[in-house]
Amino acid sequence: KIHGEIVSSIDLRTGGTVTAAGRDCLKTYFKRLRTSLEKVSRGDFLDVPEGVRATYQEIFDAYESDLGHYFRHLYRIFKFIDESGIEDKRSYAGIVRAQLSADELGLLFFNGISEHGEKFRVLIERFALLENLRPKRIPLWEELHGLYDKSAFGDADV
């Protein structure tokens, strides 16, 4: 419930007017990230992962109040599951994972390879949080998916 409330509370304003709200904001943030990553695709960076991290950092900085809050909360949910005494932790993680939209998974992918997601990456891999991620939605997939252990993608063939 809290996760849904956090997503619903996100809004994007232009000139004081709300132009997007909730998941539509996350969709907009991911679209802007994908557009910004075109400069990495063009070869503006010699080191692709570092170029991607720098580009993600720009987007994160622009929307830090929303993205920071969102990812800190999501991290705490999975950290709670991980540290709990329940037996089937993957099932509980799967319930939360099922609530994530395609754009949220895309943002999670990039957050996990950034400095902001270093601790989260362990949980992303442990609970296969990117299992439903469609590679074609991720710019520079071939260069980046190897930054994660295969476990992050579950049973998917990456």
Side-chain angles (χ1 to χ4, degrees):
K1 180 180 175 187
I2 294 171
H3 177 73
E5 290 172 4
I6 287 173
V7 170
S8 296
S9 72
I10 298 171
D11 63 17
L12 184 59
R13 296 174 183 267
T14 305
T17 304
V18 175
T19 56
R23 280 204 161 85
D24 287 342
C25 286
L26 297 170
K27 182 176 191 161
T28 299
Y29 299 160
F30 187 55
K31 182 178 179 180
R32 289 179 181 177
L33 174 61
R34 290 177 59 174
T35 300
S36 294
L37 286 169
E38 289 175 10
K39 63 186 174 190
V40 180
S41 296
R42 285 193 313 258
D44 292 3
F45 292 87
L46 294 176
D47 183 322
V48 170
E50 284 309 310
V52 167
R53 287 182 183 105
T55 304
Y56 177 79
Q57 184 65 49
E58 291 171 9
I59 296 296
F60 187 88
D61 288 346
Y63 307 109
E64 183 174 2
S65 63
D66 291 334
L67 291 175
H69 184 218
Y70 173 83
F71 283 117
R72 282 189 307 273
H73 175 71
L74 198 59
Y75 169 78
R76 292 305 311 164
I77 291 173
F78 290 107
K79 184 78 170 161
F80 175 80
I81 293 169
D82 190 47
E83 293 175 346
S84 73
I86 58 176
E87 288 185 32
D88 193 5
K89 294 176 186 197
R90 276 216 41 164
S91 290
Y92 285 91
I95 292 168
V96 179
R97 184 183 65 224
Q99 295 180 52
L100 303 178
S101 70
D103 298 308
E104 289 172 275
L105 289 173
L107 287 168
L108 180 62
F109 177 90
F110 288 103
N111 185 269
I113 60 174
S114 77
E115 69 179 43
H116 302 288
E118 290 173 357
K119 293 189 300 184
F120 204 166
R121 184 178 355 195
V122 173
L123 299 173
I124 291 169
E125 293 171 346
R126 182 170 298 143
F127 293 118
L129 299 185
L130 301 175
E131 184 171 22
N132 297 318
L133 180 69
R134 293 179 34 214
K136 71 179 191 177
R137 292 188 45 83
I138 303 298
L140 302 159
W141 172 260
E142 290 302 318
E143 293 89 343
L144 299 174
H145 78 275
L147 297 175
Y148 283 99
D149 186 86
K150 293 188 308 187
S151 61
F153 308 100
D155 296 331
D157 186 24
V158 289

